[in-house]
Every structure is written in structure tokens, then in C-alpha cells.
Amino acid sequence: MLDNADLGKLIVRLTLGGLLLFHGVDKLLDGTGFIERELASHGLPAFLAYGVFIGELIAPLMVILGYQTRIGALLIVINMVVAIALVHAHQLIALGRNGGLVLELQYFYLLSALALIFLGPGKYKLKN
């Protein structure tokens, strides 16, 4: 018999990890030039841009697989805080043309990852 709470955790893990993974694959294919320029504009070294591969490739895979989920989720939280601070700080509560927040997607990733830190992976996961 399926446990609804564990099934819900699995759905959150697959959704968060799966959707964020697309962003990581995009950066893997197209490079980190945009992030490097943003870092440079804030006086930070461009090599830090490669950290995005941890936050948008490795961490989502950890979350999807349920392997060290809380650590993976924490890495996603850090990734999103950095992304919001570097690129979106001026849009924290800005509304889009359709009435929703401009940063809905960023907040979804950030808060879903934060929820997983507290919830854990559930029982449908790789054995640690």
C-alpha cells in the first residue's frame, strides 16, 4: 500500500529536481557566459560561475534520486539565493503583466528545496 506522505515527497523531489535540471543542462550545453558576466559586474571572480553545475546539475540529481536529499536541497537553496542576489535583487516583489510575481519560478525552486530540507526524501529513494 502506498504511503501518501512519501508519495507526495517523491512528487516534490521529481518536480523540483526535474525542472531545475533543464536549467543545468542548458548551461552545460550553452556555457556559463551570462553568469560569468553577472559575477564580474559584482566584482566577483568569473570562475565561481562553474558552481552553477553543482546547484543545477548535481544537486537536482541528488534530489531526484533521493540520495543525500537534504544536502542536495541545501545546495539548491544556496544556488537560488545566489541567483536571486546576482540577477534578480531588484525584482523581489515585482509583479508581472499577468499579476503574478516575476520571480515565481525562482521562489518555487527556493521554497520547494527548503521544504525538502525539512521533509527529507521519504521512503521512495536510493538507499544511502
Side-chain angles (χ1 to χ4, degrees), residues 7-10 12 33 36 46 51 60 74 78 86 98 106 112 115-116 125-128:
L7 186 57
K9 292 173 188 178
L10 175 64
V12 171
E36 291 174 19
L74 177 61
I78 293 167
L86 281 180
N98 296 328
Q106 291 83 353
S112 295
L116 278 178
K125 62 180 176 127
L126 286 181
K127 299 280 185 208
N128 291 348

Side-chain angles (χ1 to χ4, degrees), residues 107-127:
Y107 289 146
F108 166 78
Y109 291 143
L110 174 66
L111 297 173
S112 295
L114 187 62
L116 278 178
I117 290 171
F118 292 104
L119 291 171
K123 69 180 179 184
Y124 305 116
K125 62 180 176 127
L126 286 181
K127 299 280 185 208

Side-chain angles (χ1 to χ4, degrees), residues 63-115:
V63 166
I64 288 168
L65 297 172
Y67 177 76
Q68 298 293 324
T69 302
R70 287 184 164 107
I71 294 171
L74 177 61
L75 293 170
I76 292 171
V77 166
I78 293 167
N79 183 74
M80 294 314 305
V81 167
V82 170
I84 290 168
L86 281 180
V87 181
H88 303 290
H90 64 285
Q91 300 172 310
L92 294 178
I93 56 170
L95 296 178
R97 290 182 295 156
N98 296 328
L101 289 172
V102 172
L103 298 183
E104 285 176 347
L105 186 60
Q106 291 83 353
Y107 289 146
F108 166 78
Y109 291 143
L110 174 66
L111 297 173
S112 295
L114 187 62

Side-chain angles (χ1 to χ4, degrees), residues 32-44 46 83 85-88:
T32 59
F34 171 75
I35 300 168
E36 291 174 19
R37 288 187 296 279
E38 286 296 323
L39 286 164
S41 76
H42 288 82
L44 297 168
L86 281 180
V87 181
H88 303 290

Side-chain angles (χ1 to χ4, degrees), residues 9-71:
K9 292 173 188 178
L10 175 64
I11 291 168
V12 171
R13 285 189 6 242
L14 294 177
T15 303
L16 170 63
L19 292 175
L20 188 55
L21 194 58
F22 283 107
H23 293 271
V25 170
D26 177 64
K27 289 174 184 74
L28 189 62
L29 297 175
D30 293 336
T32 59
F34 171 75
I35 300 168
E36 291 174 19
R37 288 187 296 279
E38 286 296 323
L39 286 164
S41 76
H42 288 82
L44 297 168
F47 76 86
L48 292 176
Y50 293 102
V52 76
F53 294 123
I54 295 170
E56 294 184 10
L57 284 174
I58 295 170
L61 288 172
M62 292 170 72
V63 166
I64 288 168
L65 297 172
Y67 177 76
Q68 298 293 324
T69 302
R70 287 184 164 107
I71 294 171

